[in-house]
Amino acid sequence: MIIYDADNAIYRFDGRSMDLAREYKMNPRGPYSTELQQILDRMRCTPMQGRYALLVEKPFESFRLCRLSGKRGIPPTIVDNIVYSSIAEAEWDIFKRRWKDLTGHDVILDSNHDA
Amino acid sequence: MMRRPTDILGYCQPLSVHPGGTTELKISSNGPATCDIGIFRVICADIDPNGPGAEFETQEWCAHPDVEIFHQPINAGSYALSLKTPEIDWSIPFEFTAYLWPTCVDGGLQTVLSWDGLEIGINRQGRLYAKYGTDEVCCGTALLERRWIKVCLAVNLQTHKMSLSYERQIKPGMLNETDRAEGDLDRKHLMPGDNVPLIMAASGTGDKDATGTRLSSTRHHFNGKIDSPAIWQQKVAICEWDFSQNQSGNTACDIGMQGCDLILVNGPMRAATGHRWKGNTESWVHHPDQYSAIHFHDDDLTDCHWETTRKINIPADARSGYYIARMTTSQCTSDVAFFVSERPEQNSGKETTGKPEAADILFIAPTATYLSYANTHIKFDSHNTENLYEAPMVISEEEMYLNEHRELGLSHYDTHSDNSGVVHVSERRPMLNMKPGLYTFNYVNDTHIIKWLEAKNFRYEVATDKELHEHGAALLSRYRVIITASHPEYYSTPMWDAVHEFQEHGGRHLYLGGNGFYWRIGWPENMPGVVENRRGNSGVRTWEGEPGEHHLASTGEPGGLWRSSGRPPQSLVGVGFSSTLFVRSTYYKRTTASFDKRVGFIFDGVDDEKIGDFGYRGGGAVGLEIDRFDVHLGSPHDAIVVATSHGIDKGGLLSGEEFITTTRALDGGQNGLVRADMVIFATQGNGAVWSAGSIAWPTSMTWNDCDNNVSKITENVLKRFCDPAPV
């Protein structure tokens, strides 16, 4: 029987590579460079326990940040009452959070791009 | 507006009803005491404000204001229940034996056998125990998951002794005693009373219902397989249940002296490998003796058994189609889907109802697909979901509710609480993603076709694939054209054969989707409303069945991919599944072959180079899941590929069955198999098949108020197919 291993995503990347974070910011829906794709693949394979997700607060209008419990029947945990007004806004924030979680580095872009 | 859709839940039984027939609406309330009920025909279920526009047609023939509603419980979890209580001379020592294959020993209390005060089970520490009245014995070692053991409980009421032991199976036929626990029975016990049912895989806390075929309430369900349970006295089997018999039924035979057959409740998995399975067969039909087990789960569900709230009588002249019952309160709007389906001509009553002559076109609603995806939990349970969709999971209120209310039953994409795959799904329960809402895959997408047919003023009728399964080609014979939907993924043999027979007797077939005709399923005769699916060793799947368990219990046929049974989808519709493309949908371009004058009609009025570079799913008509042409997989040699996809990048992922060795270059930017092909071919008797080859095709048809080149091409083909002149 095949059961997923929460630790099977092992790709490591340099958290100082702001050019890759910038690439995502500029082109969030892809296609991505090979290295950015690998980073995103890593981010999207984080263990189910604690994985970021979005709860629909108001359909098509607002979305609340949460983390999955990873356990059947146990609801996600709301994160800091953060509410987004678009999926795109949420995806960029989740990207930055995961970057920090995986590398220890904050995503800091220059002011021209980080508007 | 969506307003707390989970305050009221419901389902219609049957899901598919004929004009002139009756379906029963069963509602449960999570709060409101009353609601208004209205019936609507669904033209478009897509509620996205940036979509084509949701559209529901009020039906004046049914309105129920201010209906009283109440909460109705769901008793999930499978078990076996004796229809006739065994009779035992309690003055003689007796033994209960069984083989067990536990699958979840670190969970809660689990009952293997329950018979009044007598009980055998697994405690919270994973250890085997037996209770008789207040006396209990417990083995010292925890059981291992997914290992066969043979259990024996011996009770002697003369010596007041009870002995519980189990042996671990080394291999079939070889046992090694592992643990034993003995205890005294200190007081005179009451015997199981007359007519107290014997229960396996759960303990009962309620009485039998009026039918005597289920209990009002159960608990402590066992997860795992039970094999060859028996009651012995003086080495004679008083009861000996042979689960290898009647595999397609919902009863288990007692081949002992008393004929105490068991009825199986909530659809545990039959045709399970037993303790004798040696790995030399994969078919319970060929080696029934090796399939002597039943796999029970604490979250199996085949029927909520709710009381009927209102009967919905469908007028004889009602249009066939997609329908919803809409329950509303000041705070809540909740929809329940059902289908009004055509039936074969001799039964249709058209001669007496005054309905107009049958339409040329029949749209086949793929309810097997809807059921297979119904109440999916993959956003919570399947780690690969986010990676597949390349975006964080967006969870609706319904999905939150489903996560916390597993008693609503699972989808074919889910695993049970013991991680085994879900083989049975049922229509007799609320299905929170088969209705207008945020979950657009399948049901909502298919209503784009309905909206388009209405917008283009085609005269069409609708039948469900369940009717197709039951009536075969007789359902189709009065139509010139059939349309199969965006994702007719799950097909039984009768359904496949009916479509093929229609094609080969002059029928014309538009296949407007992708990933169709992919899994072979069964509709178990003894479990109405249930679809059986076995995941084999191939195909895009979220779980893989246990070795040897890939054959359908309902039919004996190999389950899994049609392709693995020698019928690739290409052999039916010219194209077959190649890839997922859940991000960055793309478009088609015409092939050189498309300029053949025989097929030029397809592109009449279409001058654009790019076909479908727009749409509501990923921005293109080539998207979600896509199919390709391949003569090596059965595409007709004389079929013409009239268009093929362009622009697919890394977002396209080749399906597992499309490569047979570990390799690189599997994405759409590198691998030419990651593509969609549009094909047309002629069949016998002036028939023809045209396949779009992509699930996202219909959700481009409705773009720009149905005025676009995808719409135009579909219209050209449909009009041409309705014309009896040879194609």
Side-chain angles (χ1 to χ4, degrees):
Chain A
M1 186 168 72
I2 296 174
I3 295 184
Y4 102 96
D5 177 356
D7 300 320
N8 68 355
I10 58 173
Y11 185 72
R12 294 176 183 276
F13 59 98
D14 183 353
R16 295 164 298 183
S17 303
M18 289 301 127
D19 54 331
L20 293 167
R22 187 173 297 113
E23 179 192 340
Y24 181 76
K25 174 85 160 104
M26 301 300 290
N27 183 26
R29 308 306 293 169
Y32 317 105
S33 65
T34 299
E35 187 162 6
L36 177 57
Q37 181 75 57
Q38 289 172 324
I39 291 171
L40 289 167
D41 291 345
R42 171 67 187 85
M43 289 178 169
R44 290 164 178 160
C45 287
T46 51
M48 295 299 277
Q49 184 176 359
R51 182 183 290 191
Y52 285 114
L54 299 169
L55 300 181
V56 176
E57 186 172 77
K58 199 168 181 185
F60 310 104
E61 292 185 21
S62 58
F63 310 89
R64 192 174 283 276
L65 183 66
C66 69
R67 299 188 90 141
L68 302 180
S69 70
K71 293 180 179 164
R72 291 164 187 258
I74 307 298
T77 305
I78 299 296
V79 179
D80 298 334
N81 279 324
I82 295 171
V83 178
Y84 307 102
S85 58
S86 73
I87 296 290
E89 179 192 359
E91 286 186 337
W92 172 237
D93 188 46
I94 289 173
F95 178 88
K96 289 190 291 186
R97 287 167 176 272
R98 286 173 166 172
W99 187 285
K100 171 81 171 179
D101 291 345
L102 290 169
T103 70
H105 292 278
D106 288 311
V107 172
I108 301 173
L109 304 183
D110 62 63
S111 57
N112 291 336
H113 294 288
D114 200 19
Chain B
M1 186 172 77
M2 293 186 67
R3 293 176 299 180
R4 299 206 336 230
T6 55
D7 278 3
I8 300 175
L9 304 176
Y11 60 97
C12 281
Q13 181 181 323
L15 181 64
S16 174
V17 58
H18 305 133
T22 298
T23 187
E24 298 183 16
L25 174 63
K26 296 162 186 288
I27 295 175
S28 175
S29 169
N30 287 326
T34 62
C35 69
D36 298 333
I37 302 172
I39 305 295
F40 298 82
R41 188 168 70 91
V42 178
I43 310 298
C44 182
D46 194 335
I47 62 170
D48 188 342
N50 296 312
E55 199 176 341
F56 307 99
E57 183 183 84
T58 306
Q59 303 299 299
E60 303 296 343
W61 45 266
C62 184
H64 297 287
D66 211 25
V67 175
E68 288 188 12
I69 55 177
F70 53 89
H71 182 73
Q72 305 207 51
I74 299 172
N75 192 26
S78 56
Y79 57 97
L81 179 66
S82 64
L83 293 167
K84 174 189 164 194
T85 302
E87 295 176 3
I88 288 184
D89 180 351
W90 300 100
S91 65
I92 301 173
F94 67 93
E95 292 181 346
F96 174 83
T97 62
Y99 286 83
L100 302 181
W101 197 74
T103 51
C104 190
V105 300
D106 58 354
L109 207 57
Q110 299 178 64
T111 307
V112 174
L113 173 79
S114 171
W115 190 13
D116 210 356
L118 179 66
E119 188 173 301
I120 302 172
I122 301 171
N123 69 15
R124 291 185 170 85
Q125 288 74 45
R127 294 192 239 156
L128 202 62
Y129 74 88
K131 281 202 312 193
Y132 199 8
T134 55
D135 297 315
E136 180 171 344
V137 293
C138 182
C139 290
T141 55
L143 300 178
L144 298 176
E145 291 182 355
R146 293 179 155 74
R147 299 285 187 277
W148 280 111
I149 59 170
K150 184 180 182 183
V151 176
C152 178
L153 171 69
V155 176
N156 188 330
L157 295 180
Q158 298 298 313
T159 60
H160 301 288
K161 293 286 186 185
M162 174 165 65
S163 171
L164 175 68
S165 64
Y166 77 88
E167 300 167 281
R168 191 163 294 148
Q169 180 169 288
I170 309 301
K171 65 179 183 178
M174 182 185 289
L175 295 164
N176 182 27
E177 179 161 318
T178 306
D179 209 338
R180 175 179 291 271
E182 296 183 340
D184 294 328
L185 299 172
D186 286 335
R187 63 178 181 81
K188 186 176 181 182
H189 285 287
L190 293 173
M191 309 311 160
D194 292 341
N195 299 320
V196 174
L198 181 150
I199 310 163
M200 288 185 205
S203 49
T205 56
D207 297 327
K208 281 184 175 179
D209 74 346
T211 66
T213 57
R214 64 187 177 91
L215 297 164
S216 58
S217 178
T218 50
R219 64 182 180 182
H220 303 154
H221 286 264
F222 171 67
N223 282 298
K225 298 183 197 178
I226 300 176
D227 184 350
S228 305
I231 298 172
W232 305 86
Q233 282 189 311
Q234 298 175 320
K235 298 186 178 178
V236 174
I238 306 299
C239 293
E240 186 177 9
W241 289 281
D242 183 356
F243 294 167
S244 73
Q245 295 189 25
N246 192 30
Q247 294 278 24
S248 303
N250 60 357
T251 56
C253 301
D254 173 15
I255 59 171
M257 300 164 62
Q258 298 189 358
C260 295
D261 291 351
L262 306 172
I263 189 156
L264 303 171
V265 182
N266 275 333
M269 190 185 82
R270 305 295 305 270
T273 53
H275 74 280
R276 300 185 195 89
W277 189 71
K278 293 184 281 192
N280 62 347
T281 181
E282 293 189 330
S283 170
W284 61 267
V285 176
H286 298 143
H287 292 272
D289 58 311
Q290 296 192 36
Y291 288 84
S292 49
I294 295 176
H295 194 148
F296 296 88
H297 306 91
D298 63 3
D299 48 8
D300 279 322
L301 179 73
T302 55
D303 194 336
C304 288
H305 289 291
W306 284 355
E307 290 182 26
T308 299
T309 307
R310 282 290 184 276
K311 289 185 176 180
I312 302 173
N313 299 313
I314 313 298
D317 61 351
R319 286 193 64 177
S320 51
Y322 286 56
Y323 282 78
I324 51 169
R326 174 161 287 173
M327 288 82 72
T328 53
T329 70
S330 59
Q331 299 295 319
C332 162
T333 299
S334 184
D335 297 332
V336 170
F338 66 98
F339 299 84
V340 176
S341 174
E342 298 294 334
R343 53 183 166 170
E345 200 156 31
Q346 64 271 25
N347 300 322
S348 68
K350 287 183 182 301
E351 300 80 359
T352 58
T353 62
K355 280 183 72 171
E357 190 180 339
D360 286 335
I361 302 164
L362 181 71
F363 178 83
I364 300 172
T367 63
T369 294
Y370 303 156
L371 294 183
S372 288
Y373 284 86
N375 293 356
T376 173
H377 296 74
I378 61 168
K379 291 181 181 177
F380 292 96
D381 294 356
S382 178
H383 88 293
N384 197 45
T385 307
E386 179 175 346
N387 210 20
L388 188 63
Y389 294 101
E390 292 200 21
M393 293 296 89
V394 181
I395 299 164
S396 67
E397 181 190 331
E398 287 97 331
E399 288 165 333
M400 282 283 283
Y401 188 90
L402 286 169
N403 179 44
E404 295 171 47
H405 293 272
R406 302 279 170 150
E407 72 275 13
L408 263 67
L410 308 169
S411 77
H412 277 150
Y413 291 80
D414 295 320
T415 51
H416 290 285
S417 63
D418 69 355
N419 287 316
S420 60
V422 174
V423 303
H424 291 143
V425 295
S426 172
E427 69 180 43
R428 295 185 172 185
R429 57 168 174 160
M431 289 173 278
L432 305 192
N433 59 355
M434 190 189 74
K435 60 179 186 175
L438 298 179
Y439 185 89
T440 57
F441 210 41
N442 306 321
Y443 178 91
V444 169
N445 288 348
D446 285 344
T447 63
H448 282 241
I449 302 173
I450 302 297
K451 186 176 183 82
W452 181 87
L453 287 165
E454 299 274 340
K456 295 294 178 183
N457 289 315
F458 282 103
R459 208 153 58 88
Y460 70 97
E461 294 176 345
V462 174
T464 62
D465 54 357
K466 180 71 184 303
E467 305 293 337
L468 184 64
H469 172 84
E470 290 181 353
H471 301 293
L475 176 70
L476 311 179
S477 59
R478 70 173 183 264
Y479 300 97
R480 192 174 305 283
V481 182
I482 61 169
I483 297 174
T484 48
S486 70
H487 198 190
E489 181 178 4
Y490 292 86
Y491 254 63
S492 68
T493 303
M495 289 159 61
W496 179 296
D497 289 345
V499 170
H500 188 242
E501 186 174 336
F502 174 78
Q503 291 176 353
E504 296 301 328
H505 286 81
R508 277 88 183 268
H509 178 188
L510 269 78
Y511 164 37
L512 291 180
N515 187 228
F517 316 97
Y518 192 59
W519 299 101
R520 169 154 45 195
I521 54 155
W523 301 81
E525 288 185 15
N526 289 304
M527 286 190 280
V530 169
V531 176
E532 184 191 14
N533 175 45
R534 301 288 181 124
R535 306 279 190 205
N537 294 323
S538 191
V540 173
R541 59 213 191 280
T542 48
W543 53 268
E544 185 174 88
E546 290 288 342
E549 296 184 347
H550 303 158
H551 281 58
L552 296 163
S554 54
T555 68
E557 300 168 307
L561 297 188
W562 272 109
R563 174 171 168 162
S564 301
S565 287
R567 295 193 194 183
Q570 283 91 341
S571 68
L572 186 70
V573 289
V575 293
F577 182 55
S578 71
S579 314
T580 54
L581 182 57
F582 286 109
V583 289
R584 300 184 296 277
S585 298
T586 64
Y587 51 87
Y588 291 95
K589 289 183 181 178
R590 290 181 65 169
T591 61
T592 304
S594 76
F595 293 91
D596 184 315
K597 63 182 180 185
R598 292 174 297 169
V599 295
F601 70 89
I602 297 172
F603 301 97
D604 281 349
V606 176
D607 298 323
D608 308 315
E609 182 189 17
K610 293 181 179 178
I611 297 162
D613 55 337
F614 48 81
Y616 293 109
R617 302 290 175 260
V622 177
L624 300 178
E625 297 180 18
I626 56 176
D627 295 358
R628 68 180 181 86
F629 174 88
D630 192 336
V631 292
H632 300 296
L633 289 171
S635 296
H637 285 78
D638 55 355
I640 299 175
V641 179
V642 296
T644 193
S645 59
H646 287 258
I648 299 177
D649 58 42
K650 293 174 186 174
L653 300 174
L654 194 64
S655 181
E657 68 272 22
E658 293 279 77
F659 59 98
I660 54 178
T661 182
T662 52
T663 185
R664 298 179 176 83
L666 294 172
D667 67 69
Q670 301 181 80
N671 196 312
L673 295 183
V674 181
R675 70 171 194 273
D677 293 321
M678 183 189 300
V679 305
I680 188 167
F681 58 93
T683 58
Q684 297 293 315
N686 199 19
V689 178
W690 175 82
S691 294
S694 164
I695 290 180
W697 182 266
T699 44
S700 292
M701 286 160 53
T702 48
W703 188 258
N704 191 36
D705 292 328
C706 305
D707 183 11
N708 63 72
N709 54 30
V710 170
S711 171
K712 180 63 177 168
I713 287 169
T714 312
E715 186 176 0
N716 288 343
V717 176
L718 186 50
K719 282 183 174 173
R720 183 67 189 80
F721 276 18
C722 287
D723 182 342
V727 176

